[in-house]
Amino acid sequence: MARIKKIGVFTSGGDAPGMNACIRAVVRTAIHDGLEVVGIRQGYQGMLESNFWDMSARDVGNIIHIGGTILKTARCLEFKTPEGTKKAYDNLRSYGIDALVAIGGDGTANGASRLSLTHGIPVMCIPGTIDNDLYGSDFTLGFDTATNTVIEAIDKIRDTAASHNRLFFIEVMGRDSGCIALRAGIAGGSEAVLLPERDTAIDELIEKLSSHANNHKSSSIVIVAEGDKNGGAYHVAERVKEKFDFYDSKVTILGHLQRGGSPSSFDRVLASRLGFAAVRALLNGKDRQMVGLRGNAIVLTPLEEALHFSHFKLEDDLLEMINVLSI
Ligand code: ADP
């Protein structure tokens, strides 16, 4: 295999706090190890438009604490076509880019895998998504920060909920993954959590809230992941309200504020470790791997495996614990 001289780094799909810290780690590790680094703006779209940026160590100064991504991100349908993938590859090669570090979710990893399989360019994927829904890493970049953001909001809502005997339904991000909802539910001391991965009968929820009320709880907080099968926080609130008028019910949709903000120390360290490891793995001749954290070790998982296996990783003990701790 020819020695790698110039690597490209890009962020793609949904943005997540910690992506900048990861870009910084990739750029500085590569330069430290004698490589040239090119930032590719706007993910696969940027490959199609040769939107390339020759990066220096100084270009990634003062970004470790900033949310979002200085390389921007985009969704790009054209890249998914065989012609689009080839055009992206041709542009990369004519710029001398001979390996890639992709930071993003499963769509991004699928795209990187295709680029590598069809055209032979080595790729390393770093799981960057607030949803924590990728196989191959216990935690994805941005998940910890997003959960902390949700908890901050819950804490504030709790103050007003407790003052008014209110029942709050708080909708959090997670179309297919209940990871944010579950962790935020525990850390925010909520009474119940509704997740996309589990069916929750509204009757059971009402029964639970009634028993809490009978147990002298003056307010309750229910976390609803946006992908919950009951149709989201407004629908759940409506149906609960019909049969249960003890509380004054309110709904808060947290929305996109969950994506932003300064990354937590956990995400900054994770981003640095994953970015560093991705460059070293490329230099060691590895290809088509997901770089992740398992236990407290950085582990490579072949992309085929990472993309094939289910990302379902809700811990059953946490679910049971919410029922116990919310009595
Ligand atoms: P995420 O990476 O957060 O899951 P997307 O699913 O939107 O976000 O994927 C990001 C981009 O990756 C897409 O816009 C597309 O360009 C590319 N992509 C997604 N899935 C595939 C695929 N199966 N084959 C090739 N490229 C893909």
Side-chain angles (χ1 to χ4, degrees):
M1 189 194 299
R3 190 183 171 276
I4 290 167
K5 294 197 185 79
K6 194 190 264 196
I7 65 168
V9 57
F10 64 99
T11 49
S12 159
D15 62 302
M19 282 181 160
N20 280 328
C22 194
I23 294 165
R24 170 181 177 273
V26 170
V27 169
R28 292 200 171 161
T29 305
I31 290 171
H32 174 274
D33 290 355
L35 300 173
E36 289 177 69
V37 200
V38 177
I40 302 162
R41 294 191 184 92
Q42 297 198 300
Y44 296 113
Q45 187 66 39
M47 288 183 202
L48 293 178
E49 294 166 359
S50 293
N51 195 347
F52 299 142
W53 172 13
D54 296 319
M55 298 186 85
S56 74
R58 298 287 72 77
D59 287 326
V60 290
N62 300 320
I63 64 166
I64 196 167
H65 61 301
I66 298 174
T69 158
I70 60 164
L71 290 176
K72 313 277 186 186
T73 178
R75 296 201 153 93
C76 174
L77 287 180
E78 187 188 344
F79 174 79
K80 286 182 160 189
T81 65
E83 299 76 24
T85 311
K86 178 164 187 327
K87 184 172 166 193
Y89 175 73
D90 290 344
N91 288 344
L92 292 170
R93 288 305 297 149
S94 48
Y95 207 72
I97 295 169
D98 39 32
L100 287 172
V101 177
I103 308 166
D106 61 341
T108 301
N110 265 303
S113 175
R114 176 188 289 204
L115 200 51
S116 176
L117 276 174
T118 50
H119 299 289
I121 185 165
V123 298
M124 286 294 137
C125 293
I126 293 179
T129 161
I130 63 167
D131 291 333
N132 202 28
D133 60 352
L134 279 168
Y135 183 88
S137 192
D138 295 344
F139 296 103
T140 58
L141 281 189
F143 167 65
D144 184 64
T145 306
T147 308
N148 283 330
T149 302
V150 171
I151 291 164
E152 232 184 282
I154 295 174
D155 291 349
K156 289 181 175 141
I157 288 169
R158 177 177 293 287
D159 291 345
T160 173
S163 306
H164 288 273
N165 284 2
R166 275 181 177 154
L167 168 58
F168 262 93
F169 295 89
I170 304 176
E171 186 173 298
V172 304
M173 279 188 168
R175 268 196 293 265
D176 303 308
S177 162
C179 286
I180 291 180
L182 182 57
R183 295 247 158 186
I186 288 170
S190 76
E191 272 60 42
V193 178
L194 277 62
L195 309 163
E197 297 92 338
R198 294 274 192 283
D199 291 330
T200 307
I202 296 295
D203 288 347
E204 275 172 33
L205 178 62
I206 291 169
E207 204 175 297
K208 191 175 179 190
L209 294 169
S210 302
S211 101
H212 288 162
N214 294 335
N215 230 350
H216 310 295
K217 276 205 179 202
S218 61
S219 63
S220 284
I221 290 175
V222 176
I223 308 294
V224 184
E226 62 182 332
D228 168 66
K229 307 229 174 32
N230 292 296
Y234 277 111
H235 280 89
V236 175
E238 280 303 313
R239 290 177 59 195
V240 170
K241 230 192 281 183
E242 276 170 19
K243 298 193 192 162
F244 192 70
D245 58 7
F246 174 79
Y247 290 126
D248 179 16
S249 300
K250 299 284 175 204
V251 175
T252 301
I253 312 277
L254 294 185
H256 278 80
L257 68 86
Q258 294 163 88
R259 275 194 192 280
S262 181
S264 64
S265 66
F266 180 88
D267 275 329
R268 294 184 203 189
V269 174
L270 180 63
S272 303
R273 292 178 81 184
L274 296 180
F276 172 80
V279 175
R280 289 281 162 95
L282 283 173
L283 283 171
N284 287 328
K286 304 279 190 226
D287 183 16
R288 281 204 299 284
Q289 305 284 320
M290 179 74 76
V291 190
L293 181 78
R294 286 196 191 174
N296 193 21
I298 300 299
V299 174
L300 301 181
T301 305
L303 273 188
E304 283 72 15
E305 186 185 329
L307 293 171
H308 175 264
F309 282 103
S310 155
H311 50 245
F312 185 84
K313 52 181 152 191
L314 288 182
E315 302 95 331
D316 283 332
D317 60 319
L318 297 192
L319 275 172
E320 191 201 335
M321 208 169 72
I322 288 196
N323 289 330
V324 173
L325 300 188
S326 65
I327 56 170

